[in-house]
Amino acid sequence: MRILDTSVYLGPNLHALFRVIRMRVDLGALEAWPTAKLGEDFIDPLLAALPDLAEHGCSYGEVGGFLRRLREDEGTWLGHVLEHVAIELQNMAGGDVTFGKTRSTDDEGIYTVVYEYEQRDVGLEAGKLALQIICSRLPDGIRPERSVPDDFDLTEALDDFIRFAQRRALGPSTASLVRAAEERGIPFLRLNRYSLVQFGHGKYQRRIQATVTSETRHIAVEIASDKEETNHILGDLGLPVARQMLVHGEERAVRAAERIRYPVVVKPLDANHGRGCSTNLTTPDQVRVAYAAAREHARSVLVESFIEGFDHRMLVVNGELVAVAQRVPGHVVGDGTNTVEALVEITNADPRRGIGHEKVLTQLEFDHQALRLLEQNGFARDSVPAEGEVVWLRTTGNLSTGGTAADVTDSVHPDNRQMAIRAAEAVGLDVAGVDFLTTDISRSYAETGGAICEVNAAPGFRMHVAPSEGTPRDVAGAVMDMLFPPGSPSRIPIAAVTGTNGKTTTVRMTAHIFKMAHHAVGLATTDGVYIDGHATVVGDLTGPSAARMVLRDPSVDVAVLETARGGMLKRGMGYRRCNVGAVLNVQADHLGLRGVDTLEQLAQVKRIVVETAQDTAVLNADDPLCLKMAAHSDAENLCYVTMNPQHPLVREHIRSGGCAVVLEEGIRGHRIDIHEHNAHMPLLWTSEIPATLDGRAMHNVQNAMFAAAITFRMGVSLEDVRTGLKTFDTTWFQAPGRMNIFDEHPFKVILDYGHNPSAVQAMVDLVDRLDVNGRRMVVLAAPGDRRDEDVAEIAGIAAGHFDHYVLRRDDTLRGRGADEIPEMLAKHLREAGVDEARIEIIPDEASAVDAALARAGQDDLLLVFGDDIGRCWRQITEFTPSGERAAAASTVTPLPPPVPMAAVDVGAQEFVHDERGVHLARDVEDSD
């Protein structure tokens, strides 16, 4: 039994609309051993190791359902057991995951195991440990060799895993803020392995680092970190503070204590969490020892008067007191039997206690302060306190040093409430923890005395969200409401576009329309990531990483994201939902790769975009596979795009008040019309769109219709949509590699990145519609990882439409022989009736393009299907038919006379060309 491969999905994917891990698991010989056959010799040890598995509902949806699956009939297979164990391990480590599913594959003994995760590394480690645990529970003779380390110890392995998970988990304060954001529908992105988190997208984003927010002023943090300065500021405002002196040196500390008068407190100037703080000091020797302890945490040390009373943490958020906790220093209570050391061990065994901030309480420890207090009170580690006797190990109530907390928010006197608010405002903090000592929080400080010890930036929320006693408080919710007041936006509009062909041109058109409507657009496409029209990263970027790059940019107010098949199959989508999801078409491309063998399977992948659309799903009504996706959409609206004005379903949709973009016939040719809420809105004639070449490039007509549908549904005015389409062309600068025309030679050149049958068909149809006085020539290729039948179809589509064919391969062979693709194309061209004299094989792309350019003459048309489109464009634009090249051109074999062009059925199905970047797909994680 072994794990063959693993995929980690960051967002919506083929298996679920949230984060999951998928593993392919080979059971090997264990395929013959379902759980019922293994029997109780396997089931009982497994349940003994992970007793909470008995609570899993599985497909029965009730407690004990998984246990039934283990034992009923023939039981279940170990791939399914792996799924449940991986889920249970994560929950043992503090996670909250429930989803999983396991399916057998066509290959015997191989299963696809899918389970939910919260943190990537923890989820992956859970899968690996789950495999070891299962194998370790198998009876001897069945257990696969080397499946479990010789020194495997379950207790130790579980403990190591939990610690591993806790080191990677968000701290309690950060986690509470993330939960509050999720409850409010605010998206979040974890920006590092620690506590830096972004809430919201684009220009609406806010950030936190623990409980310091993007609204926290740096100067306020600096003031709060300087305890002496804070003391002076508060004292100058008449707020109650302790008398305080800053010292450097032990003897100066002693003199300061004598001037202030004992008892005193000695603490570092700028430490936190109670580190190095000693209280209730009554002698010079105690002050000297305390000074040395404080110097371990800061260069400067404070000596201040000791205030009698209970330690209270008063949390102020955005000028409001939201929670108050009374903190009790770390201690143990004697039972008359156990030593102090044993009592500490018993207390630390409380499952609520952990190391540092990993749990709601922190373990007690013996350090300088604990040992000093024991000695001061006449105890040692081996002393046995009387029953009920309290033994203090700390003088401060910080939870991080083992203290406990009781919520007293409802008991606070109004004067004390106002005092805390004034203190936070005086320092200038949006989120402040005011430490206040008083004998009774329910009585005014003016009556009982007391003093503010500190005002803390980045106060911990643990004592408020999970107090040892009293009511938990939603303090994180108060922070979220400060960062995102109710009714304010946290998300920028997102348009996600997928399909086999036309994605890149459509997203570029869409981004251009938004730009003309004065938006700062974040665009992710096969050419790179563009922010407000400027390329920030160049490359094939159509997956979740690029999407998150756009959503993290603070200047972006709308995101337009090309969403390719490869990224969704490899890592899922980079966001939970989009406003508009569009599927342009589903055509044969990339079949036979990554488990996608049929058009129906490819459609299922593309459908993920529709399933995440919240406002509108935009679908190609002329593509049956797109049309079926409507049944899987939870979007509030459906918008159909059709080039058939008589489409029966679309006409019925329009009559019902639905939205549609329709290509209508008119006196000036074709016109794009928008229908919505029974209103008919003519948009513009296709001849007015430069990218359509006077309406001849029907694939770009369809792309323009989708761009219009997307932007209109996202609130762009009709006039701005018109302006955007009228000013978008297919120049290299606006749409590199997409029907780029260069006509500064005596002949015309069209460069296109089309690399599948549908894309080639679209360009062949365009060439047939163009008026060409000379010859038609083509540089033709196919990617090496396409099926043989796809290569044959490309050749069949091109056959009969050109006077000369230059056949090449891509730079990346993708498993093919050096000349295999051009030889295959030549074979199929000949079979289609193309004369051998019209076929030229030049495998290298650069050489093929150069040769074709050299052959072209006056008034010819050369169509170049390019792979490295940047290089191809430079060759085209820099070509000069003079000197040696002109001489060479005069000696080439003349072309045969033009062949008659095949008849073109304008009413036939139209296709659009594919995206750029396939040659990078093996190296770029999110491509295709």
Side-chain angles (χ1 to χ4, degrees), residues 500-645:
T500 304
N501 294 306
K503 298 186 295 295
T504 300
T505 300
T506 299
V507 295
R508 282 186 168 277
M509 282 182 173
T510 301
H512 181 72
I513 293 170
F514 276 120
K515 176 69 174 175
M516 299 304 290
H518 310 293
H519 286 278
V521 186
L523 171 65
T525 182
T526 49
D527 303 312
V529 171
Y530 296 80
I531 303 299
D532 199 25
H534 302 285
T536 59
V537 181
V538 176
D540 193 342
L541 297 164
T542 55
S545 297
R548 292 189 171 195
M549 196 181 302
V550 168
L551 298 176
R552 287 175 59 172
D553 193 288
S555 66
V556 172
D557 64 15
V558 63
V560 180
L561 306 174
E562 182 176 346
T563 308
R565 169 209 65 94
M568 288 189 282
L569 282 174
K570 295 169 190 174
R571 300 177 65 204
M573 296 176 68
Y575 43 92
R576 281 288 186 90
R577 63 177 190 251
C578 58
N579 296 79
V580 173
V583 184
L584 310 186
N585 44 63
V586 181
Q587 301 292 346
D589 196 17
H590 302 288
L591 298 181
L593 302 175
R594 288 190 164 268
V596 177
D597 301 312
T598 67
L599 282 175
E600 288 72 22
Q601 290 173 330
L602 183 58
Q604 190 177 358
V605 176
K606 305 287 187 184
R607 196 179 71 201
I608 298 169
V609 167
V610 173
E611 293 171 338
T612 61
Q614 186 177 27
D615 176 57
T616 303
V618 181
L619 300 173
N620 183 349
D622 300 329
D623 187 319
L625 290 174
C626 292
L627 208 52
K628 291 178 181 178
M629 296 180 188
H632 299 271
S633 174
D634 290 328
E636 295 180 10
N637 303 281
L638 287 172
C639 179
Y640 291 115
V641 174
T642 180
M643 303 177 80
N644 175 14

Side-chain angles (χ1 to χ4, degrees), residues 132-187:
Q132 290 186 338
I133 291 174
I134 290 170
C135 291
S136 71
R137 305 297 101 175
L138 290 171
D140 293 338
I142 300 175
R143 183 183 307 121
E145 293 184 9
R146 297 186 297 277
S147 60
V148 183
D150 294 337
D151 58 350
F152 181 76
D153 179 271
L154 177 63
T155 302
E156 182 179 328
L158 290 175
D159 184 64
D160 288 346
F161 173 72
I162 291 171
R163 291 177 181 274
F164 175 88
Q166 289 171 344
R167 286 194 299 271
R168 287 156 178 78
L170 293 170
S173 299
T174 309
S176 69
L177 289 163
V178 168
R179 285 194 298 271
E182 289 182 312
E183 290 169 0
R184 289 159 174 77
I186 298 170

Side-chain angles (χ1 to χ4, degrees), residues 259-380:
R259 289 182 62 185
I260 292 173
R261 296 184 181 180
Y262 291 104
V264 295
V265 173
V266 175
K267 60 185 180 182
L269 175 65
D270 52 5
N272 54 23
H273 299 301
R275 297 186 183 97
C277 180
S278 303
T279 66
N280 200 17
L281 306 177
T282 57
T283 68
D285 287 342
Q286 289 178 349
V287 170
R288 293 186 182 97
V289 172
Y291 178 85
R295 280 284 282 120
E296 293 178 4
H297 301 277
R299 297 178 62 184
S300 300
V301 175
L302 288 172
V303 179
E304 67 181 23
S305 56
F306 174 73
I307 307 298
E308 292 283 352
F310 298 107
D311 182 8
H312 297 84
R313 166 60 61 84
M314 309 180 76
L315 184 66
V316 179
V317 177
N318 198 30
E320 296 290 336
L321 184 69
V322 297
V324 180
Q326 181 175 308
R327 299 186 292 182
V328 180
H331 66 280
V332 294
V333 180
D335 59 8
T337 303
N338 288 292
T339 64
V340 172
E341 189 165 10
L343 290 170
V344 167
E345 291 179 2
I346 293 170
T347 301
N348 285 343
D350 184 339
R352 295 177 300 168
R353 290 189 182 268
I355 299 171
H357 293 277
E358 66 186 18
K359 295 186 178 180
V360 296
L361 296 174
T362 300
Q363 292 188 352
L364 298 170
E365 61 180 30
F366 289 105
D367 60 3
H368 158 74
Q369 290 192 48
L371 295 175
R372 180 183 67 81
L373 278 175
L374 286 175
E375 181 181 358
Q376 181 177 315
N377 294 316
F379 291 103

Side-chain angles (χ1 to χ4, degrees), residues 379-407:
F379 291 103
R381 294 173 69 148
D382 58 358
S383 301
V384 179
E387 184 173 356
E389 186 174 12
V390 177
V391 180
W392 299 102
L393 299 173
R394 278 291 184 279
T395 55
T396 59
N398 298 76
L399 265 67
S400 57
T401 57
T404 57
D407 179 75

